[in-house]
Amino acid sequence: MSTTTRHHINRQRRLAQKPAPPVAAAAPPSGTTVPVDRDDATPKRRTRVSPDRQDSPAPTAADPGRARRALVAGLCLLTLLLGAFAGWAYAQTRGLEDDAATNNTALTDPARTSEVKGQAGKAVNALFSYDHANPEIQEKAAATYLTGKAVAQHRTLLAPVLAQAKKQKTVVTTTVTDSAVERIEGDRARVLVFADQSSTSTAAQAKDAANYAGAMLAVDLVHRDGRWLVSAIDTFGGS
């Protein structure tokens, strides 16, 4: 091989081994976003946090002193309210008692109370006494002292006696031993009556048989035409 030829081959080898020149990066088209490598060496910008966006501090336990003061204030208010209610209730109760005392003349009018008490005792003696030989006396007493629903009540109470009166020849005597005027309000009154009753029979098969018993009842009275009439009879569980 000639020298010229060998020189030409060596030159081609050197050119082939020589690195290619760097190619400039083509500029991206307009409007294209180029991704940023997060791992590059470019320093990152620090973002300042607004005070309004800072995390709120963790809640702390309630102040024991403040809770205690609130409790004491609540108890004081409750005490005041209860005291006010108690005072109002006491005033209302006294007012009702005063009204009752004012309306109930049995507490303020001894003369009228004595009148009611006397007429109630007289009526009970007559209404609950019976003589088989003189039934008209009892009938007259009922017409004289009874009014309203007391008429039917008295008839019911006396029915057992009347059913056996003629056969047993019964005589019933009622005597009021004590009484108390519970109230008098205007033309109405109520009297509690205690009485003794004796019952005897003159029939041949029950000669001289006698029974004694005590009785307690309350009578309501109404004042009409100058007299106190029995308007209701309460035997405390009886008819």
Side-chain angles (χ1 to χ4, degrees):
M1 179 181 296
S2 62
T3 303
T4 303
T5 300
R6 190 169 47 253
H7 179 73
H8 177 72
I9 292 171
N10 293 334
R11 185 172 178 272
Q12 291 295 327
R13 290 178 177 173
R14 288 193 299 272
L15 290 174
Q17 294 175 357
K18 187 177 181 180
V23 181
S30 176
T32 303
T33 301
V34 179
V36 179
D37 187 0
R38 296 293 182 183
D39 296 333
D40 59 11
T42 305
K44 297 181 180 179
R45 298 179 58 189
R46 294 185 178 180
T47 304
R48 297 182 60 187
V49 180
S50 173
D52 295 336
R53 297 182 60 184
Q54 293 180 354
D55 294 335
S56 300
T60 58
D63 183 4
R66 180 179 300 176
R68 186 163 49 252
R69 288 192 295 271
L71 178 61
V72 172
L75 292 176
C76 290
L77 178 60
L78 179 60
T79 302
L80 291 174
L81 291 175
L82 291 176
F85 175 78
W88 175 83
Y90 176 77
Q92 292 295 316
T93 302
R94 288 299 302 270
L96 292 175
E97 292 176 350
D98 292 343
D99 290 343
T102 301
N103 295 330
N104 187 3
T105 55
L107 304 176
T108 59
D109 191 340
R112 192 169 181 81
T113 299
S114 179
E115 176 189 356
V116 171
K117 184 175 181 179
Q119 293 204 23
K122 187 177 180 180
V124 171
N125 286 341
L127 289 169
F128 292 96
S129 295
Y130 181 79
D131 185 350
H132 72 95
N134 297 292
E136 299 82 5
I137 296 177
Q138 206 283 322
E139 294 172 359
K140 182 179 180 181
T144 302
Y145 295 109
L146 296 177
T147 187
K149 67 179 182 180
V151 176
Q153 290 175 326
H154 176 260
R155 188 181 299 118
T156 300
L157 290 170
L158 214 62
V161 176
L162 298 178
Q164 300 294 327
K166 291 182 179 181
K167 182 179 179 180
Q168 298 292 334
K169 299 182 184 297
T170 304
V171 176
V172 178
T173 303
T174 299
T175 304
V176 172
T177 58
D178 198 4
S179 63
V181 180
E182 182 179 328
R183 66 175 181 270
I184 303 174
E185 297 176 354
D187 61 353
R188 295 185 177 278
R190 182 175 175 86
V191 182
L192 184 63
V193 177
F194 299 89
D196 287 339
Q197 285 185 311
S198 64
S199 174
T200 60
S201 176
T202 59
Q205 64 272 28
K207 187 68 174 176
D208 298 328
N211 294 304
Y212 299 91
M216 181 178 70
L217 66 155
V219 292
D220 292 339
L221 301 99
V222 59
H223 192 259
R224 290 179 182 172
D225 301 326
R227 296 184 302 134
W228 288 94
L229 306 178
V230 176
S231 60
I233 303 171
D234 185 357
T235 57
F236 305 103
S239 301

